């Protein structure tokens, strides 16, 4: 009779760890390869960009490319950068505050129709933002907000997914007993929220803000629809406009697009690194919930 052999649990564990490590390495390479290619391309001049190996350096012209990006068309790139920070920063900050207020209300207040409101929030996830862009454009046209910063800021203030996250975090971190104790001490609802709830929701708020910031920074279809003059464009929209030009005034616009794209990912990378302590805890908290 053949004798069955059982794998040692430790050996099976090591095999699973190696398989997981291999998957993480492949995922990392897949995610970082476009960034690597972009860094290589941003260091090349026109000749190197079209005639050299796309996966390796050919001279180092990064500083010249940066100078051209910042001076081309009277420095419009800096204006687009400021616009992106305005839309993503101010819009996400206001949207985060509204989401925390709404999520807190849905989680800790009992009122008629709360279930219907929450169902509407969850159901709105099924509506792609692209389907809302045309109605937003028509509405903003009626009230004269097209081609103004408000056409970008107002949609950023309302994000159903942020409301859902805020509700989940509130339920996980804000106990009823704490709120009742504050009310017994005579604190009003606004004071309770801004003095107690908001401080305890730092992790959740940082996660909501980070997701909203990245989403707004990368937005394309909405600014393409509601912004007309290039002085109000975002970085993505401006780089898209540059990509439609091949050569203008002796300057290779393709190099400008690649260098500008490299610069556009730096703020998000800084944001991720600076807030990693908050969003990692927030994601863990949401998973436990």
């Amino acid at each position: 009779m053949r004798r069955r052999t059982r794998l040692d649990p430790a050996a099976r564990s090591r095999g699973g760890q190696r398989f997981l490590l291999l998957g993480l390495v492949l995922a990392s390479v897949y995610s970082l390869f476009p960034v690597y290619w972009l860094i290589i391309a941003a260091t090349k001049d026109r000749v190197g960009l079209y005639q050299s190996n796309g996966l390796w350096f050919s001279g180092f012209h990064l500083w010249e490319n940066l100078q051209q990006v910042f001076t081309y068309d009277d420095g419009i790139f800096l204006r687009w950068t400021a616009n992106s920070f305005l839309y993503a920063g101010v819009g996400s900050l206001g949207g985060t505050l509204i989401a925390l207020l709404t999520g807190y209300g849905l989680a800790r207040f009992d009122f008629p129709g709360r279930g219907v409101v929450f169902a509407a929030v969850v159901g709105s996830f099924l509506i792609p933002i692209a389907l809302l862009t045309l109605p937003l454009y028509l509405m903003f046209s009626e009230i004269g907000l097209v081609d103004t910063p408000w056409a970008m800021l107002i949609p950023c203030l309302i994000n159903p997914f942020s409301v859902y996250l805020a509700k989940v975090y509130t339920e996980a971190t804000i106990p009823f007993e704490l709120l009742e104790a504050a009310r017994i001490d005579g604190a009003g609802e606004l004071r309770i929220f801004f003095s107690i709830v908001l401080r305890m929701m730092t992790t959740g708020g940082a996660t909501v803000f980070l997701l909203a910031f990245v989403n707004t920074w990368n937005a394309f279809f909405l600014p393409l629809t509601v912004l007309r003059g290039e002085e109000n464009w975002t970085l993505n929209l401006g780089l898209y406009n540059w990509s439609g030009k091949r050569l203008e005034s002796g300057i290779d616009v393709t190099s400008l697009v690649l260098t500008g794209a490299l610069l556009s990912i730096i703020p998000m990378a800084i944001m991720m690194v600076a807030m990693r302590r908050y969003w990692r805890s927030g994601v863990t908290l949401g998973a436990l919930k």
Side-chain angles (χ1 to χ4, degrees), residues 56-251:
W56 195 244
F57 296 94
S58 176
F60 191 82
H61 304 274
L62 179 62
W63 308 124
E64 293 87 343
N65 293 337
L66 290 174
Q67 183 180 7
Q68 289 182 353
V69 167
F70 292 133
T71 58
Y72 179 72
D73 197 8
D74 297 327
I76 192 65
F77 182 85
L78 295 176
R79 178 62 181 268
W80 295 339
T81 304
N83 291 339
S84 294
F85 273 111
L86 172 65
Y87 304 147
V90 177
S92 300
L93 188 62
T96 299
L97 181 59
I98 294 175
L100 294 179
L101 280 166
T102 308
Y104 169 66
L106 289 173
R108 289 295 177 257
F109 287 91
D110 189 11
F111 55 89
R114 184 178 67 168
V116 176
V117 173
F118 182 68
V121 171
V122 175
S124 62
F125 297 166
L126 303 176
I127 304 177
I129 187 62
L131 294 181
L132 300 177
T133 302
L134 182 57
L136 285 173
Y137 172 78
L138 296 176
M139 181 178 65
F140 290 153
S141 297
E142 291 293 330
I143 57 180
L145 294 183
V146 171
D147 200 26
T148 67
W150 292 108
M152 284 293 298
L153 291 174
I154 293 177
C156 295
L157 298 178
I158 308 299
N159 190 328
F161 184 68
S162 297
V163 174
Y164 173 77
L165 286 180
K167 180 181 182 298
V168 171
Y169 291 134
T170 301
E171 293 174 342
T173 59
I174 310 298
F176 282 104
E177 296 78 9
L178 179 62
L179 303 178
E180 290 300 326
R183 294 187 182 105
I184 292 175
D185 289 340
E189 295 300 334
L190 288 179
R191 183 178 179 184
I192 291 175
F193 177 79
F194 286 102
S195 299
I196 300 176
V197 175
L198 198 58
R199 295 183 179 181
M200 297 181 66
M201 288 284 290
T202 303
T203 298
T207 304
V208 170
F209 173 80
L210 182 61
L211 294 176
F213 184 92
V214 172
N215 184 58
T216 305
W217 186 274
N218 291 328
F220 176 76
F221 192 58
L222 179 62
L224 178 65
T225 304
V226 301
L227 300 178
R228 297 175 180 173
E230 65 176 12
E231 68 277 0
N232 292 324
W233 286 354
T234 62
L235 268 178
N236 288 339
L237 192 55
L239 293 176
Y240 170 75
N241 179 68
W242 278 359
S243 67
K245 306 175 182 178
R246 300 300 298 177
L247 187 66
E248 184 173 301
S249 302
I251 298 177

